[in-house]
Amino acid sequence: MVGFKATDVPPTATVKFLGAGTAACIADLITFPLDTAKVRLQIQGESQGPVRATAGAQYRGVLGTILTMVRTEGPRSLYNGLVAGLQRQMSFASVRIGLYDSVKQFYTKGSEHASIGSRLLAGSTTGALAVAVAQPTDVVKVRFQAQARVGGGRRYQSTIEAYKTIAREEGFGGLWKGTSPNVARNAIVNCAELVTYDLIKDALLTANLMTGSCPPFSAWVPGTW
């Protein structure tokens, strides 16, 4: 009996889970300043509540926002909330991407031929489940990104303190604020991303434009094809 080659053995669910989270964390490290700039632009103009824009700072465009933050708050301000951001990616991407194949197999009852409906169900399920698990980390990340370092009025000094403060002052449900729209958004996004990839991969394999079988997870981890 001929055994599998090392490259022919499909990754286990655990490998997919951890690999997806790790890859997402690496991407977050690189793009986090852009995400912080996006949050500052979105909340600019807010003048009340714990999340407020920098007093006197006018952000204009992505590059202008980054330069203003570096000048007024220092380069480290671009990575406000990074710890919560990495926690989010490790929990969010691991579920959203890493569990897609397993959930798809559950809906197809192990069949090798998955219908579009089964793929859509798997994509929406893992997208929604990922938000339900990772929403507290997203709330803390955004709170950190929104608060300015100038003026000495920072509300949160550490990630753990932020979780505790939000739960104490706003109730445990405060950590899940915005969950409903986020679930709807990410269920749709996950379907659009993973199901589209899945269908295109199957079409390429059917047309013999590529060989081998690779799960959607391989799109996120180099060298798995």
Side-chain angles (χ1 to χ4, degrees), residues 3-197:
F4 282 114
K5 296 179 181 179
T7 55
D8 293 334
V9 179
T12 64
T14 301
V15 170
K16 295 177 186 179
F17 186 87
L18 295 177
T22 302
C25 285
I26 294 173
D28 210 34
L29 282 170
I30 298 171
T31 62
F32 203 80
L34 296 174
D35 191 41
T36 301
K38 178 206 71 173
V39 171
R40 289 296 180 92
L41 285 168
Q42 288 177 322
I43 58 96
Q44 184 170 225
E46 291 290 325
S47 59
Q48 296 180 348
V51 181
R52 63 181 66 207
T54 307
Q58 294 296 318
Y59 302 125
R60 298 181 182 278
V62 176
L63 181 58
T65 301
I66 291 175
L67 292 176
T68 298
M69 291 181 64
V70 170
R71 184 176 64 254
T72 60
E73 304 174 48
R76 292 182 60 186
S77 64
L78 297 174
Y79 285 90
N80 276 350
L82 178 61
V83 173
L86 295 178
Q87 291 173 347
R88 175 184 181 274
Q89 292 297 348
M90 201 65 207
S91 54
F92 179 76
S94 296
V95 174
R96 185 176 77 89
I97 301 171
L99 295 184
Y100 172 76
D101 281 330
S102 299
V103 174
K104 183 176 69 173
Q105 290 175 4
F106 171 79
Y107 282 128
T108 59
K109 302 186 186 303
S111 174
E112 294 183 2
H113 303 287
S115 65
I116 294 179
S118 297
R119 299 176 205 233
L120 290 173
L121 278 173
S124 59
T125 298
T126 56
L129 182 60
V131 171
V133 171
Q135 186 67 11
T137 63
D138 195 30
V139 170
V140 171
K141 176 186 77 75
V142 172
R143 295 284 182 95
F144 262 103
Q145 289 174 314
Q147 70 177 0
R149 288 180 180 272
V150 295
R154 297 183 66 200
R155 185 182 184 192
Y156 309 114
Q157 302 300 323
S158 70
T159 304
I160 298 299
E161 180 193 356
Y163 286 116
K164 292 180 178 179
T165 300
I166 294 172
R168 182 177 63 252
E169 297 182 359
E170 304 173 39
F172 196 66
L175 292 169
W176 271 271
K177 283 186 176 179
T179 299
S180 296
N182 215 9
V183 164
R185 173 185 177 274
N186 280 285
I188 296 171
V189 168
N190 215 38
C191 286
E193 289 181 354
L194 296 187
V195 175
T196 299
Y197 166 83

